Amino acid sequence: ATYAFKATDYLRKNSTSGGAFAALATTVINDGGSVYGAHLNENFQLRHIRIDKKEDLALLQGTKYIQSDMTDIFEPLKKDILAGMPILFSGTPCQIAAVNNFVKNEKLNTERLYLCDTICHGVPSPRLFNAYIHWLKNKYSFTKYFFRNKNISWRGDSSSIETDNAQLLHDQNTSAFMNIYYSNNVTNDACFECK
């Protein structure tokens, strides 16, 4: 069976699409659990982090089109599993496979581990995104980058930055990374043969 749903307006507001991840994450947190997902930090590095408070949910919301670093999540994940708490882990299909391999190798009880993979178009190297951010910083002074932003459009090209004075800027420069991404010329080779 296949199910489709969209979250309430409140949860959907900070989400890139329908807010399904936010709804699932809220349910797990309300049940005393933890949520693992990708967060684009203040240095524009995408890393998987752990949250257990609804106030932190916005850190994980929004689409990201690069590969996240999962280095620091395996020990906290193991600790949460051993504690018997409900856990939601969201990531690309290859990241979900990595978590599955980890829990299998560690012989962990996965009864309360919920895995949510995203529909993946493939990912380029984070090094490319870092080079792009460096290039963009030579043009603008900004604090946030959005791969997609509903304030511009729910569909199509809506990548943007939030400038230091909290202005939303969307132009050909803020769209450059996503234009290259959608060309499929920067996708990791392994993504074309995803297992």
Side-chain angles (χ1 to χ4, degrees), residues 46-64:
L46 189 62
R47 299 187 185 283
H48 257 69
I49 63 169
R50 175 194 186 276
I51 66 165
D52 58 12
K53 297 177 184 67
K54 283 191 282 189
E55 306 86 70
D56 294 334
L57 183 56
L59 296 173
L60 304 181
Q61 287 178 277
T63 302
K64 296 98 174 174

Side-chain angles (χ1 to χ4, degrees), residues 78-133:
K78 181 177 179 178
K79 183 178 176 185
D80 287 350
I81 291 171
L82 292 173
M85 62 195 312
I87 302 158
L88 174 66
F89 185 96
S90 176
T92 60
C94 59
Q95 291 174 323
I96 297 299
V99 170
N100 269 326
N101 286 338
F102 173 74
V103 296
K104 182 179 176 184
N105 289 339
E106 295 288 320
K107 298 179 174 55
L108 298 172
N109 181 344
T110 59
E111 186 177 331
R112 300 194 80 191
L113 174 63
Y114 302 96
L115 302 174
C116 177
D117 61 337
T118 59
I119 296 173
C120 183
H121 182 90
V123 293
S125 166
R127 289 173 50 194
L128 174 67
F129 182 70
N130 291 340
Y132 167 70
I133 290 294

Side-chain angles (χ1 to χ4, degrees), residues 39-47 66 129-130:
H39 167 60
L40 189 64
N41 67 23
E42 62 279 353
N43 296 318
F44 303 100
Q45 297 168 330
L46 189 62
R47 299 187 185 283
I66 56 175
F129 182 70
N130 291 340

Side-chain angles (χ1 to χ4, degrees), residues 127-162:
R127 289 173 50 194
L128 174 67
F129 182 70
N130 291 340
Y132 167 70
I133 290 294
H134 179 74
W135 176 81
L136 206 54
K137 285 229 172 241
N138 286 327
K139 298 182 177 306
Y140 309 106
S141 183
F142 61 98
T143 55
K144 293 182 182 174
Y145 177 84
F146 304 97
F147 292 90
R148 287 175 51 206
N149 191 314
K150 282 184 180 176
N151 293 325
I152 295 168
S153 172
W154 280 54
R155 299 180 187 272
D157 177 17
S158 61
S159 50
S160 59
I161 57 172
E162 184 178 297

